[in-house]
Amino acid sequence: MQRHTGRDMWDAEECQSPRMGSVILGVDGGASNTVCVCIPAAMPFNDPLPVLSRTVAGCSNHNSVGEDRARETLERVMSQALLKARRRRSNVCAVCLAVAGVNHPIDQQRMLDWLREIFPSHVKLFVENDAVAALASGTMGKLHGCVLIAGTGTIAYGFTSDGREARAAGAGPVLGDWGSGYGISAQAMTAVVRAYDGRGPETVLTNNILDFLGLASPDELIGWTYEDQSWARIADLLPVVVESAESGDEVANKILHNSVGELASSVKAVVQRLELGGEDGKHPFPLVMVGKVLEANKRWDIGKEVIDCVTKHYPGAYPIHPKVVEATSKV
């Protein structure tokens, strides 16, 4: 497939004096943000890793924004990371893309073919689902255990020590990522519409969501929803739902309780298929927790609720919350 991002992103390479030394580009692409880091290729393994540059852009999930826009975002963060590190593509020895939406070997190969158009033949290329990188971030690179991502979207992914893998959820909003930020927010919006037309109970979600969006009536919510169906835009309503639940709203609390069950069931499905907990469920394994949905709030802590639910069946699971440096700017 022809690239449509244009060569202008790489024009700056010819306008700078590059520094010496090989580098590695690592990209984490999701439905909300895409982050690229440039690190030295030759270095001792330290924690934290030395980062030469870091760049951030928007969504790179092709299922959400389309293949052309996703590739444009990926190319932008990689070119800007090299520019900030004063390196060229000739300095790159390896590129690893961990991107949401890579769900099949066909997706993987298509992305590898596209990367080969950009980087010289000596560059090693790796493409994985973003859940693989999320798991590695909590296990110091060892692919063993289970990871739960619950941000704009959600997925549970696991590996055994002998390389077997399994996943659950992660099929996008149409097929039901109901524990995700999108899923929670979409259910809240549905509750507002149902309350407005008399099919559902009254809820403070109505006033809270309308105030947050600057809308005057639930009628306007329909137009707002369909003028831009970006998953991340819908998921941005998550804090409003949590705030409504913490104020005592029954509808909002029911949505969050159901989400806990959905997220926990995804983890349990992966653990069961891979037998990570052993025959009695007590065998220890890491459960890496990643994403804004799983962060603690004043009263509601969805991540803790999910862990409690999982450990009732698999007491050997021990949660890990990787330390993540938040992005401060976008390119």
Side-chain angles (χ1 to χ4, degrees):
M1 182 178 291
Q2 182 180 1
R3 270 194 303 131
H4 300 285
T5 56
R7 296 183 178 180
D8 56 317
M9 292 187 186
W10 301 101
D11 286 348
E13 279 189 328
E14 307 304 324
C15 303
Q16 66 173 351
S17 299
R19 293 176 177 174
M20 300 297 292
S22 297
V23 296
I24 298 170
L25 293 178
V27 180
D28 177 15
S32 294
N33 290 325
T34 300
V35 180
C36 179
V37 294
C38 178
I39 62 175
M43 61 181 181
F45 188 79
N46 295 322
D47 183 21
L49 294 173
V51 176
L52 299 174
S53 65
R54 185 176 189 271
T55 52
V56 187
C59 175
S60 57
N61 184 333
H62 67 91
N63 291 324
S64 177
V65 298
E67 195 159 349
D68 287 345
R69 283 183 59 188
R71 290 182 176 184
E72 181 180 359
T73 297
L74 292 167
E75 198 161 358
R76 184 184 306 122
V77 291
M78 290 189 292
S79 63
Q80 289 294 318
L82 286 175
L83 180 64
K84 290 175 67 175
R86 295 186 60 185
R87 299 300 200 279
R88 294 182 178 180
R89 282 173 286 179
S90 57
N91 293 113
V92 178
C93 67
V95 177
C96 179
L97 296 190
V99 186
V102 176
N103 300 313
H104 190 275
I106 293 177
D107 301 325
Q108 191 176 39
Q109 189 58 52
R110 188 164 57 235
M111 193 73 75
L112 287 168
D113 292 342
W114 168 70
L115 284 173
R116 184 51 69 200
E117 296 177 20
I118 299 173
F119 291 97
S121 58
H122 72 272
V123 179
K124 296 180 179 179
L125 304 175
F126 305 89
V127 175
E128 299 286 353
N129 186 278
D130 64 331
V132 178
L135 176 60
S137 74
T139 59
M140 297 300 289
K142 182 179 181 181
L143 292 181
H144 172 256
C146 183
V147 62
L148 174 64
I149 298 179
T152 297
T154 183
I155 187 172
Y157 212 114
F159 284 85
T160 62
S161 56
D162 61 359
R164 291 182 296 120
E165 59 188 276
R167 57 176 285 171
V174 175
L175 299 178
D177 280 354
W178 294 127
S180 67
Y182 179 98
I184 291 171
S185 300
Q187 290 182 74
M189 295 167 65
T190 300
V192 170
V193 173
R194 289 176 61 87
Y196 181 66
D197 63 20
R199 291 178 295 136
E202 294 296 318
T203 169
V204 302
L205 286 167
T206 299
N207 287 333
N208 290 350
I209 288 178
L210 293 181
D211 288 346
F212 183 81
L213 298 177
L215 304 178
S217 165
D219 283 334
E220 297 180 15
L221 186 61
I222 299 173
W224 180 89
T225 300
Y226 293 108
E227 71 181 9
D228 178 357
Q229 298 182 49
S230 164
W231 302 350
R233 179 170 171 264
I234 302 297
D236 284 342
L237 294 173
L238 174 66
V240 182
V241 184
V242 174
E243 179 183 345
S244 301
E246 292 182 335
S247 71
D249 185 74
E250 291 185 6
V251 174
N253 272 288
K254 183 178 180 181
I255 291 172
L256 296 187
H257 279 295
N258 289 343
S259 298
V260 168
E262 290 286 347
L263 295 172
S265 67
S266 295
V267 172
K268 289 186 286 186
V270 170
V271 174
Q272 181 178 5
R273 286 165 62 188
L274 296 179
E275 300 178 317
L276 292 175
E279 294 183 0
D280 59 1
K282 297 180 180 179
H283 187 77
F285 64 90
L287 174 57
V288 181
M289 308 285 283
V290 177
K292 59 187 176 183
V293 173
L294 305 176
E295 296 173 359
N297 295 279
K298 292 179 181 178
R299 298 180 183 177
W300 255 101
D301 189 339
I302 295 176
K304 182 179 181 302
E305 296 288 336
V306 171
I307 292 168
D308 289 346
C309 187
V310 170
T311 54
K312 286 180 181 178
H313 299 270
Y314 299 101
Y318 55 92
I320 297 174
H321 299 271
K323 295 180 180 179
V324 178
V325 178
E326 293 296 330
T328 56
S329 63
K330 291 188 178 183
V331 297

